Each structure stands twice: as C-alpha cells, then as structure tokens.
Amino acid sequence: MDTYELVVPCHFGLEAVTKREIYDLGYEITRVEDGRVTFAGDAEAICRANIFLRSAERVLLQVGRFRATTFDELFEGIKALPWEDYIPKDGKFWVKKASSIKSKLFSPSDIQSIAKKAMVERLKNVYRLNWFPEDGAPYPVRIFLLKDEVMVTLDTSGDSLHKRGYRLMTSKAPLTETLAAALIMLTPWKKDRILVDPFCGSGTFPIEAAMIAANIAPGMNRQFTAEQWKNLIPKQLWYDTVEEAQDLMDADIQVDIQGYDIDAEVVKAARENAKRAGVDHLIHFQQRAVADLHHPKKYGFVITNPPYGERLEEKEDLPELYTQIGQAYAGLDSWSLYMITSYEDAERYIGRKADKNRKIYNGMIKTYFYQFMGPKPSKRRETAEKTIERKEQQ
C-alpha cells in the first residue's frame, strides 16, 4: 500500500495535542509547523485519522511542495506534480482554497486559476484528452503558500472535522468541537474526576468530555470526501475503521460530567445535542447560574467558555460575572479551573493570577486559556475514593 505525507491542520498553539493524538494512533510525525502536523501514513491512515482525531481540523494528502516566486514557476511546479496518481479520467477536480502568507504570490483567485490550468495541462498529456467530463468523484485541492514555499494538497475530509454531526443548535458564541476537545486534552482531567462547565451553551465541553471518556471516535457518524476515492482507498477500509471505532467504545463507563447554563432554552438545546452524540446518559444538564456553582466532592475540574463581552452592551456585566466565577471557584475545595476567554481583566476579577496562561485564537478572536491548578489527590485518597464509589454503585 502506498505511503503518503498526510497534513493535519489544527488550532494554532495546540499542535502538541494533535501530535500526541497522531502518535497514539501509531504513526510517525515527519514535520510540525504552526497550525499543522504532518505524518506518514497509508490509505488506512487516511480513514483512521479522519475518524479518530479529535483536535484536527481536516486531513490533507500532500501532493507536493516546491518554491515559487512567479506565476510561471507556480504553473510549472503544479504541472510537474503526478496528478494522474490521484485523479482518474472522470475525476472532478478544482482548487477549493488557496492561501498566501509572506509570499510574493498573494492573490488567492489567481493562484486558484493558474493551478487549475496547470493540472488540466498535465492530465491532458497523460490521459490524451482535450476535455474532461469531471462527472466522477470529487478531488478538492487546497494550496498553501508560506514564505514562497508552495504546499499542494488534496482534501480527504470535505466538511471540517469539527462538524461531528451532533451540534445542530448552537449558542451565541459557540466553541468548535475540535477546539473544545483539544483544550480538554490539554488539561490533566481524566474520566474518574468530576467535570463541570457552568457556561455550557450548546454543550460542547461536556459532550466532548463524555465522548473522550467513553472512547467514542468523533468521526464515526459522518461522511468524508475520500470515501468516494475508490481508486486510492478501498471501501472496505472505511468499514473496517468504523468497526474498530465501535469495538473501542466503552458503553458502560461511569462518569460525573455536568453542564449548567442560566438560559433554559440553551440547556434544552445542549441536551438534544448530547442525545445526537450518544452521550446524553453521561451528562447532567441543569439550568443554573454560575453564582450557584458548588460541589461537596474534592479535586474536580471546571472547564468552561464564559461570555467574552464581544458586544459593547455586554462588557458592562463582565466585572460582576467574573467576580462570581472567582467566588464560586474559591468555594470549591481543591478544584482546578480551566477557562478560555478574550476578557483581559479575567484574572483581576477572579481574584488570583492563573498558574498558566496560553494564547489561543478562537476563530478570529484572540483568546486566553487560563489555567488555575488545584492540588492532585494523593494515591491513597484516590484509591479510597474509588472504593467508596464502587460500593455506592453496588
């Protein structure tokens, strides 16, 4: 089976999370750049990466890399690539997206147009055709220019991988599923610890946490463009990968994951989303204000995405809101708080400085992932807690 360079775009600043996921799938990392990780893999790896990776935005198959500072160089570079190894005679091919950063060639529309002409020129010579029907499987191309280096890829995913298929209803400022999963994996939370999101919105943090706990592959209930590439990936590989995902699920997991929101309609939508994700039985959703957040158990986690106040009229409410977050957290004995927000006075009103702070872009919004770390439970206490919980369940 052929080996490809597979490029996985991810959230800028969270490359280490995606890298760890790829290692855990058993593949070799060949390159790490800002916002993407490249690894070597075969056709099966394309299936497994799309279905199993939680933090990846999409999975791209690299066709080639070269330098280009003129449109002539771009044309010749694209034309020199072995497109016939990927696109059959009836394949539908087009440049879905082109982006350019710090490069002499900066017009996306011109890059797209020239690249398509170069692909046609190459395939005309190989297939001895003057016209292509393009009525077969789709082969969308994505081209990235960075400092005059051109990376040419085929998009195996189609819709972005954050579209798991469960979130039909969203709140005002939703966090993407991929970003939520990556942030959870950045924390030391494990499925045997309590997790509460007091601003759950559409339920993304609790749902992604429940899917992680139950080992539910994020892509097992959706489709991918490369499923139609029968010339490159046998259909059976997709069936085998879904079967692998089903075998790895832990349907009997016991967890304590809770999602609160002050808006009853939002809580209702979160429940519906959780139901579609198959994890509604693992999450307790409730209409509740952050000021009412309290819990008798120790060593829990608050992982949340509170309001940022992006609209001017909402900014006035933020000092009081973040003060309430700080007061609620102060009342949680030995808990940890992980919070993504663009509000720069967050630490001031919470009442303490974060132990760690990481800059992360949520879409085009510059946000900060504040990490307030509680103590770790002792091994003896952990063992005792688990014994008590087992007895309670019997």
Side-chain angles (χ1 to χ4, degrees):
M1 205 177 285
D2 291 336
T3 299
Y4 307 108
E5 288 281 289
L6 300 175
V7 183
V8 178
C10 59
H11 276 86
F12 183 84
L14 294 172
E15 298 86 0
V17 176
T18 305
K19 185 178 169 183
R20 190 170 71 238
E21 280 201 277
I22 293 167
Y23 272 136
D24 288 346
L25 282 180
Y27 300 111
E28 180 189 343
I29 308 289
T30 56
R31 189 188 289 220
V32 179
E33 301 162 282
D34 288 345
R36 61 185 182 226
V37 181
T38 302
F39 72 99
D42 56 13
E44 184 186 53
I46 294 173
C47 305
R48 296 184 75 233
N50 273 298
I51 288 172
F52 284 108
L53 292 180
R54 299 182 189 279
S55 61
E57 292 302 303
R58 57 184 69 248
V59 179
L60 306 172
L61 190 164
Q62 182 178 294
V63 180
R65 284 187 189 238
F66 57 90
R67 281 186 61 78
T69 56
T70 67
F71 284 120
D72 282 344
E73 288 176 348
L74 178 69
F75 182 91
E76 293 302 328
I78 299 281
K79 186 182 171 186
L81 298 175
W83 292 104
E84 64 278 6
D85 292 350
Y86 306 97
I87 301 172
K89 285 182 183 179
D90 65 345
K92 179 183 179 183
F93 58 97
W94 73 104
V95 183
K96 174 88 174 175
K97 187 176 181 182
S99 66
S100 176
I101 300 171
K102 297 179 182 175
S103 298
K104 291 183 178 64
L105 304 179
F106 55 83
S107 166
S109 59
D110 287 340
I111 293 166
Q112 287 172 290
S113 173
I114 287 164
K116 170 76 177 192
K117 286 176 186 172
M119 292 170 67
V120 169
E121 198 65 30
R122 168 83 184 202
L123 293 175
K124 271 168 65 176
N125 293 335
V126 173
Y127 290 134
R128 308 289 182 202
L129 291 173
N130 289 320
W131 178 81
F132 292 92
E134 295 200 49
D135 55 2
Y139 293 82
V141 175
R142 289 177 179 261
I143 298 176
F144 306 86
L145 277 78
L146 175 62
K147 296 179 182 176
D148 300 323
E149 183 184 50
V150 184
M151 182 175 73
V152 185
T153 68
L154 285 166
D155 182 1
T156 76
S157 301
D159 285 339
S160 171
L161 295 181
H162 81 265
K163 295 185 177 178
R164 318 280 208 223
Y166 67 73
R167 198 171 73 173
L168 303 185
M169 303 177 75
T170 62
S171 54
K172 279 188 296 185
L175 205 64
T176 65
E177 294 86 333
T178 47
L179 179 54
L183 293 178
I184 293 167
M185 290 188 286
L186 200 60
T187 77
W189 176 78
K190 295 288 184 287
K191 58 191 175 187
D192 59 344
R193 303 246 66 87
I194 308 155
L195 187 152
V196 176
D197 179 0
F199 299 95
C200 72
S202 52
T204 313
F205 268 136
I207 292 169
E208 290 295 321
M211 290 176 71
I212 290 169
N215 212 14
I216 297 172
M220 64 188 295
N221 292 316
R222 54 158 285 174
Q223 294 181 315
F224 308 96
T225 295
E227 287 181 62
Q228 301 173 65
W229 298 357
K230 292 172 186 171
N231 60 317
L232 297 176
I233 308 173
K235 196 74 175 171
Q236 189 60 43
L237 284 182
W238 293 101
Y239 297 138
D240 292 346
T241 306
V242 170
E243 190 176 322
E244 179 191 357
Q246 288 170 338
D247 290 343
L248 290 170
M249 282 172 54
D250 185 356
D252 300 322
I253 189 78
Q254 297 285 325
V255 291
D256 190 348
I257 298 172
Q258 302 176 26
Y260 308 145
D261 202 283
I262 200 165
D263 187 330
E265 285 303 307
V266 166
V267 172
K268 183 181 175 185
R271 283 198 186 104
E272 289 298 314
N273 290 338
K275 192 172 183 181
R276 274 186 292 273
V279 294
D280 51 316
H281 62 296
L282 299 176
I283 307 169
H284 172 67
F285 286 110
Q286 187 179 345
Q287 183 185 4
R288 186 191 284 196
V290 68
D292 299 325
L293 173 59
H294 50 79
H295 205 290
K297 290 184 180 178
K298 288 187 168 191
Y299 306 110
F301 284 73
V302 174
I303 304 180
T304 194
N305 174 35
Y308 302 168
E310 289 304 309
R311 292 207 299 266
L312 200 60
E313 64 270 22
E314 292 174 344
K315 282 197 184 296
E316 299 172 4
D317 300 331
L318 294 184
E320 183 184 353
L321 181 66
Y322 282 77
T323 299
Q324 290 175 353
I325 295 172
Q327 289 170 346
Y329 176 53
L332 294 167
D333 188 13
S334 305
W335 281 49
S336 298
L337 167 63
Y338 293 83
M339 177 180 66
I340 181 169
T341 179
S342 67
Y343 185 45
E344 296 191 353
D345 286 331
E347 289 171 304
R348 175 185 167 193
Y349 289 107
I350 282 174
R352 63 172 274 196
K353 190 167 175 60
D355 298 294
K356 283 187 181 178
N357 183 8
R358 186 184 287 242
K359 189 197 297 181
I360 290 166
Y361 279 86
N362 181 11
M364 297 304 291
I365 303 170
K366 183 174 73 173
T367 62
Y368 300 90
F369 191 48
Y370 293 101
Q371 303 167 60
F372 303 88
M373 299 174 186
K376 293 180 182 177
S378 67
K379 290 292 180 187
R380 186 182 296 175
R381 178 185 286 273
E382 228 171 342
T383 304
E385 281 182 2
K386 285 176 183 175
T387 304
I388 291 166
E389 283 176 16
R390 275 198 299 270
K391 286 180 179 176
E392 286 174 351
Q393 290 163 13
Q394 286 172 356

XYZ file of all heavy atoms in Angstrom, residues 277-318:
345
model
N -25.210 12.934 19.996
C -23.839 12.423 20.128
C -23.795 11.071 20.827
O -22.744 10.435 20.889
C -22.988 13.430 20.894
N -24.932 10.633 21.378
C -24.995 9.341 22.058
C -24.424 9.362 23.466
O -24.054 8.318 24.004
N -24.356 10.567 24.081
C -23.761 10.669 25.423
C -24.683 11.364 26.421
O -24.248 11.769 27.499
C -22.401 11.417 25.373
C -21.369 10.618 24.607
C -22.549 12.820 24.783
N -25.970 11.488 26.080
C -26.889 12.197 26.984
C -27.006 11.513 28.344
O -27.232 12.171 29.363
C -28.283 12.354 26.351
C -28.842 11.046 25.812
O -28.094 10.304 25.157
O -30.031 10.770 26.055
N -26.790 10.187 28.380
C -26.881 9.449 29.650
C -25.649 9.671 30.531
O -25.650 9.308 31.710
C -27.049 7.948 29.373
C -25.901 7.336 28.648
N -25.549 7.702 27.363
C -25.007 6.377 29.015
C -24.490 6.995 26.977
N -24.144 6.199 27.960
N -24.620 10.295 29.963
C -23.380 10.505 30.715
C -23.253 11.924 31.277
O -22.320 12.221 32.018
C -22.170 10.229 29.814
C -22.042 8.809 29.241
C -20.850 8.724 28.301
C -21.920 7.782 30.365
N -24.179 12.810 30.905
C -24.065 14.224 31.302
C -25.328 14.674 32.031
O -26.448 14.381 31.606
C -23.867 15.128 30.061
C -22.683 14.640 29.215
C -23.636 16.582 30.481
C -22.590 15.307 27.853
N -25.128 15.416 33.119
C -26.252 16.022 33.834
C -26.296 17.500 33.460
O -25.415 18.274 33.838
C -26.082 15.861 35.349
C -27.108 16.624 36.137
N -28.444 16.297 36.126
C -26.991 17.716 36.945
C -29.117 17.147 36.906
N -28.252 18.020 37.408
N -27.310 17.899 32.681
C -27.505 19.307 32.323
C -28.546 19.933 33.255
O -29.540 19.291 33.608
C -27.975 19.434 30.872
C -26.912 19.180 29.844
C -26.953 18.036 29.044
C -25.867 20.074 29.662
C -25.977 17.800 28.087
C -24.879 19.839 28.705
C -24.935 18.706 27.925
N -28.331 21.192 33.586
C -29.247 21.855 34.519
C -29.221 23.369 34.289
O -28.170 23.941 33.996
C -28.811 21.555 35.963
C -29.771 22.058 37.025
C -29.285 21.698 38.433
O -28.401 20.866 38.599
N -29.851 22.323 39.437
N -30.388 24.002 34.428
C -30.437 25.468 34.389
C -29.944 25.984 35.734
O -30.558 25.736 36.781
C -31.859 25.960 34.124
C -31.941 27.486 34.003
C -33.366 27.989 33.864
O -34.323 27.205 33.935
N -33.527 29.289 33.686
N -28.838 26.692 35.718
C -28.253 27.176 36.978
C -27.275 28.311 36.676
O -26.547 28.256 35.701
C -27.512 26.029 37.686
C -26.992 26.410 39.072
C -26.041 25.365 39.627
N -26.722 24.166 40.118
C -26.130 23.272 40.913
N -24.871 23.443 41.292
N -26.779 22.204 41.315
N -27.254 29.326 37.525
C -26.313 30.435 37.378
C -24.964 30.054 37.955
O -24.874 29.207 38.855
C -26.855 31.677 38.085
N -23.912 30.713 37.483
C -22.569 30.393 37.976
C -22.434 30.701 39.465
O -21.667 30.054 40.185
C -21.485 31.131 37.152
C -21.526 32.654 37.391
C -20.099 30.583 37.465
N -23.197 31.672 39.955
C -23.144 32.025 41.384
C -23.612 30.860 42.264
O -23.258 30.789 43.445
C -24.006 33.261 41.648
N -24.395 29.949 41.686
C -24.912 28.792 42.433
C -24.040 27.545 42.265
O -24.442 26.448 42.646
C -26.342 28.461 41.966
C -27.303 29.624 42.199
O -27.127 30.321 43.214
O -28.201 29.827 41.363
N -22.852 27.726 41.684
C -21.957 26.580 41.474
C -21.292 26.171 42.788
O -20.587 26.951 43.416
C -20.880 26.944 40.446
C -19.752 25.927 40.234
C -20.301 24.584 39.774
C -18.740 26.454 39.232
N -21.566 24.953 43.218
C -20.901 24.387 44.405
C -20.950 22.873 44.286
O -21.773 22.301 43.563
C -21.569 24.859 45.702
C -23.055 24.686 45.718
N -23.679 23.482 45.967
C -24.054 25.583 45.466
C -24.981 23.634 45.900
N -25.248 24.901 45.597
N -20.043 22.194 44.960
C -19.985 20.733 44.891
C -19.286 20.216 46.137
O -18.257 20.755 46.538
C -19.245 20.289 43.625
C -19.622 18.916 43.161
N -19.270 17.778 43.855
C -20.334 18.494 42.091
C -19.746 16.719 43.221
N -20.400 17.121 42.144
N -19.829 19.172 46.771
C -19.218 18.665 48.008
C -17.917 17.884 47.790
O -17.086 17.807 48.694
C -20.303 17.747 48.596
C -21.104 17.304 47.402
C -21.088 18.466 46.451
N -17.741 17.314 46.585
C -16.549 16.493 46.358
C -15.324 17.349 46.069
O -15.429 18.496 45.644
C -16.792 15.527 45.189
C -17.783 14.413 45.513
C -17.885 13.443 44.346
C -18.878 12.316 44.664
N -19.035 11.393 43.515
N -14.161 16.755 46.294
C -12.894 17.441 46.052
C -12.301 17.050 44.698
O -12.730 16.091 44.078
C -11.882 17.075 47.153
C -12.176 17.709 48.508
C -11.016 17.417 49.448
C -11.115 18.270 50.704
N -9.865 18.199 51.497
N -11.286 17.812 44.306
C -10.439 17.507 43.151
C -11.202 17.434 41.821
O -10.854 16.661 40.937
C -9.672 16.190 43.379
C -8.890 16.182 44.670
C -9.288 15.371 45.732
C -7.763 16.988 44.824
C -8.572 15.375 46.933
C -7.048 16.992 46.022
C -7.453 16.183 47.061
O -6.747 16.185 48.235
N -12.227 18.263 41.684
C -12.956 18.326 40.427
C -12.333 19.333 39.464
O -11.348 20.013 39.786
N -12.920 19.417 38.280
C -12.443 20.339 37.237
C -13.592 21.205 36.752
O -14.687 20.695 36.465
C -11.900 19.554 36.042
C -10.541 18.958 36.252
C -10.367 17.852 37.071
C -9.423 19.505 35.633
C -9.117 17.297 37.263
C -8.163 18.955 35.822
C -7.996 17.845 36.637
N -13.343 22.502 36.664
C -14.227 23.398 35.925
C -13.508 23.703 34.616
O -12.385 24.217 34.614
C -14.495 24.710 36.693
C -15.296 25.682 35.811
C -15.248 24.446 37.983
N -14.131 23.333 33.491
C -13.587 23.651 32.161
C -14.693 24.393 31.420
O -15.779 23.832 31.209
C -13.152 22.389 31.391
C -12.131 21.586 32.219
C -12.553 22.772 30.037
C -11.630 20.309 31.556
N -14.434 25.654 31.059
C -15.558 26.473 30.612
C -15.149 27.561 29.625
O -13.973 27.920 29.502
C -16.272 27.091 31.834
O -17.530 27.615 31.432
C -15.429 28.185 32.487
N -16.166 28.089 28.941
C -16.028 29.143 27.927
C -17.047 30.236 28.275
O -18.112 30.308 27.679
C -16.311 28.525 26.543
C -16.340 29.552 25.433
O -15.595 30.520 25.453
N -17.215 29.339 24.449
N -16.732 31.089 29.278
C -17.714 32.093 29.711
C -17.882 33.206 28.681
O -17.079 33.317 27.746
C -17.104 32.641 31.004
C -15.641 32.421 30.850
C -15.480 31.176 30.023
N -18.915 34.043 28.833
C -19.115 35.158 27.895
C -17.886 36.074 27.851
O -17.242 36.316 28.865
C -20.329 35.897 28.468
C -21.072 34.854 29.248
C -20.023 33.957 29.816
N -17.585 36.568 26.633
C -16.418 37.440 26.447
C -16.808 38.919 26.495
O -15.959 39.775 26.637
C -15.774 37.210 25.090
C -15.308 35.816 24.773
C -14.951 35.487 23.466
C -15.204 34.834 25.747
C -14.505 34.228 23.128
C -14.767 33.570 25.424
C -14.418 33.260 24.117
O -13.980 32.006 23.793
N -18.091 39.205 26.226
C -18.491 40.606 26.106
C -18.045 41.214 24.797
O -17.565 42.335 24.755
N -18.196 40.450 23.718
C -17.781 40.964 22.410
C -18.657 42.138 21.976
O -18.219 43.010 21.258
C -17.832 39.856 21.355
C -16.759 38.796 21.521
C -15.358 39.377 21.537
O -15.016 40.156 20.628
O -14.593 39.064 22.468
N -19.909 42.137 22.435
C -20.782 43.278 22.147
C -20.634 44.302 23.264
O -20.528 43.964 24.446
C -22.244 42.816 22.026
C -22.489 41.961 20.803
C -23.933 42.072 20.335
N -24.871 41.613 21.353
C -25.356 40.373 21.416
N -24.983 39.474 20.536
N -26.209 40.033 22.361
N -20.659 45.583 22.899
C -20.369 46.675 23.835
C -21.273 46.652 25.052
O -20.830 46.810 26.195
C -20.505 48.019 23.092
C -19.808 49.217 23.723
C -18.304 48.965 23.837
C -20.062 50.471 22.913
N -22.571 46.374 24.828
C -23.523 46.412 25.949
C -23.288 45.285 26.961
O -23.715 45.363 28.109
C -24.981 46.393 25.447
C -25.413 45.126 24.713
C -25.160 45.194 23.207
O -24.304 45.989 22.782
O -25.829 44.446 22.477
N -22.622 44.225 26.511
C -22.364 43.100 27.426
C -21.130 43.334 28.294
O -20.987 42.735 29.348
C -22.173 41.810 26.612
C -23.435 41.330 25.911
C -23.168 40.130 25.007
O -21.988 39.877 24.700
O -24.143 39.455 24.620
N -20.224 44.200 27.850
C -18.959 44.416 28.569
C -19.200 44.924 29.986
O -18.433 44.625 30.900
C -18.072 45.401 27.802
C -17.367 44.779 26.611
C -16.225 45.644 26.145
C -15.574 45.097 24.892
N -14.934 43.802 25.067
N -20.253 45.723 30.168
C -20.549 46.285 31.494
C -20.823 45.199 32.525
O -20.588 45.390 33.719
C -21.769 47.222 31.407
C -21.557 48.413 30.485
C -22.846 49.192 30.273
O -23.871 48.844 30.905
O -22.820 50.142 29.457
N -21.328 44.050 32.076
C -21.692 42.980 33.014
C -20.504 42.082 33.384
O -20.604 41.267 34.300
C -22.786 42.089 32.386
C -24.046 42.873 32.056
O -24.314 43.865 32.755
O -24.748 42.488 31.099
N -19.395 42.211 32.664
C -18.295 41.259 32.845
C -17.612 41.319 34.208
O -17.312 40.260 34.778
C -17.267 41.413 31.725
C -17.765 41.035 30.321
C -16.631 41.124 29.313
C -18.361 39.633 30.301
